[in-house]
Amino acid sequence: MLPVFTLFFNSCGEIYDLNAFIWEPEIPLNDSVFNREIYVHNLALEGIESVTGQPPDYLDPILFSLERFSIVHPGYKISDRWDISMGGSFGVTVSGNNGARRGLGYGSSSIGGYALLDSMYSQIQDLPATMNIMEPGLASLDAQGAAGSGVGPFVYTFGGNFIRPDKVVNLGSQDPVLAHEAFMYSHMIYALSEDLVTAFPNALDARRSAKLRPRTLIVRTAKGNFAKLEFLSYYKDTLDPKEMKRDQRNTPFGYFSFRYILIKADEARFGFVKRRPAMTIDVSRKTTTVHPEM
């Protein structure tokens, strides 16, 4: 991870630090980001290699700006230029950005955080009147112990697969082909999305003897606006939970896909103003697509 930077001098409109990092002026926020559904696909550490100039460490978090729908260079860690971080030591750790609380953005002017709701994304139309905003907040896998925090937007199946038990019946089979196929459905990480609970309505978490719960984040951005956000997948190019498996060659893991709607701080409803066309940003392909009909 890059060290904390110290400002050094100003020359020709650019600010440099002791590590030759150029602090670029911030572009004013465009209102077109508000009140539209934004889909982000395949957000991964590999997406920041070209801007850091060196391969990232697998423990480094990904900093992302919801307001500018883009990866933020780790040099801006102590700033209000990012809103949510992903990745880190557990792989799926999620954090907000709050400069007054210990965390990645500590020491900046950021006022971010998030609330984690047991609610379907599509059913959240209004900003909750009361919610527990964690500052900055730190959630990982919906599992207890070393594998997670106990509360998070993802669920881990451990060595089996309680969501798709039919896929792991051949674990330990003497047939190497069957055993390998079953292995690719073990140790799975699923986003607790609407699609997951709809696709597997009878799936029970064996540790709780309870049905899966969808999880939606209400994110307060670093500048104080709000977004509702739902994680969709942890597997590259794979949004359908029925198609997810731990196949590093064809569907590598560590790629976040999610959707969100951003509203201004003084609004109370998601989509209160006439919504703008939805957008999809595919980070791995560096493409942006507008969907007028979505």
Side-chain angles (χ1 to χ4, degrees):
M1 186 173 295
L2 296 181
V4 175
F5 296 110
T6 303
L7 295 183
F8 187 49
F9 62 86
N10 193 330
S11 174
C12 300
E14 294 178 335
I15 301 176
Y16 296 81
D17 60 43
L18 295 175
N19 296 291
F21 178 77
I22 300 175
W23 290 73
E24 298 176 350
E26 190 169 19
I27 300 172
L29 185 63
N30 190 316
D31 277 358
S32 66
V33 70
F34 295 104
N35 297 290
R36 73 189 309 167
E37 192 126 65
I38 297 175
Y39 291 78
V40 178
H41 293 174
N42 300 324
L43 178 62
L45 279 175
E46 68 172 17
I48 65 172
E49 288 187 67
S50 60
V51 293
T52 61
Q54 58 184 356
D57 188 286
Y58 78 99
L59 293 179
D60 285 345
I62 304 166
L63 307 182
F64 191 83
S65 170
L66 299 175
E67 297 186 349
R68 300 181 191 281
F69 41 86
S70 62
I71 293 175
V72 175
H73 189 288
Y76 294 111
K77 180 178 67 174
I78 305 177
S79 78
D80 63 359
R81 296 197 182 194
W82 61 276
D83 303 306
I84 191 168
S85 74
M86 288 156 272
S89 58
F90 285 134
V92 292
T93 300
V94 178
S95 175
N97 183 7
N98 192 293
R101 301 287 187 268
R102 290 290 179 183
L104 289 175
Y106 182 64
S108 72
S109 61
S110 305
I111 59 171
Y114 67 83
L116 191 60
L117 308 181
D118 286 345
S119 304
M120 287 195 175
Y121 173 92
S122 64
Q123 294 179 357
I124 298 175
Q125 303 297 325
D126 302 286
L127 196 64
T130 58
M131 54 183 169
N132 180 27
I133 293 285
M134 296 175 281
E135 302 173 342
L138 186 65
S140 61
L141 296 168
D142 193 67
Q144 297 287 353
S149 63
V151 178
F154 297 87
V155 68
Y156 177 49
T157 69
F158 294 88
N161 192 323
F162 59 83
I163 295 173
R164 308 201 67 184
D166 58 307
K167 294 293 185 178
V168 294
V169 294
N170 290 312
L171 278 174
S173 170
Q174 296 301 309
D175 184 327
V177 174
L178 294 177
H180 178 69
E181 180 68 16
F183 176 75
M184 286 195 293
Y185 285 93
S186 65
H187 295 283
M188 288 288 293
I189 293 175
Y190 291 100
L192 287 166
S193 65
E194 284 188 46
D195 286 348
L196 181 71
V197 299
T198 300
F200 304 104
N202 298 316
L204 292 176
D205 183 338
R207 293 169 296 112
R208 296 187 178 90
S209 297
K211 290 187 177 182
L212 297 177
R213 299 163 295 174
R215 287 274 167 76
T216 302
L217 276 73
I218 301 296
V219 180
R220 187 172 67 205
T221 71
K223 292 182 173 64
N225 295 310
F226 288 93
K228 68 170 182 175
L229 183 151
E230 178 191 45
F231 284 101
L232 302 171
S233 177
Y234 188 60
Y235 299 90
K236 188 175 184 180
D237 292 331
T238 310
L239 297 178
D240 186 345
K242 293 181 178 179
E243 297 178 1
M244 295 175 187
K245 60 181 178 179
R246 200 158 50 93
D247 179 357
Q248 189 64 354
R249 173 176 293 181
N250 299 310
T251 55
F253 53 87
Y255 291 77
F256 293 90
S257 291
F258 53 94
R259 60 174 171 166
Y260 67 96
I261 295 176
L262 184 71
I263 61 174
K264 293 184 178 181
D266 58 355
E267 293 182 31
R269 297 185 62 189
F270 293 99
F272 179 73
V273 178
K274 184 179 179 180
R275 292 188 179 181
R276 298 170 176 87
M279 294 175 56
T280 295
I281 296 98
D282 190 313
V283 179
S284 65
R285 293 176 176 81
K286 299 180 175 61
T287 61
T288 299
T289 307
V290 178
H291 308 279
E293 302 303 321
M294 287 183 68

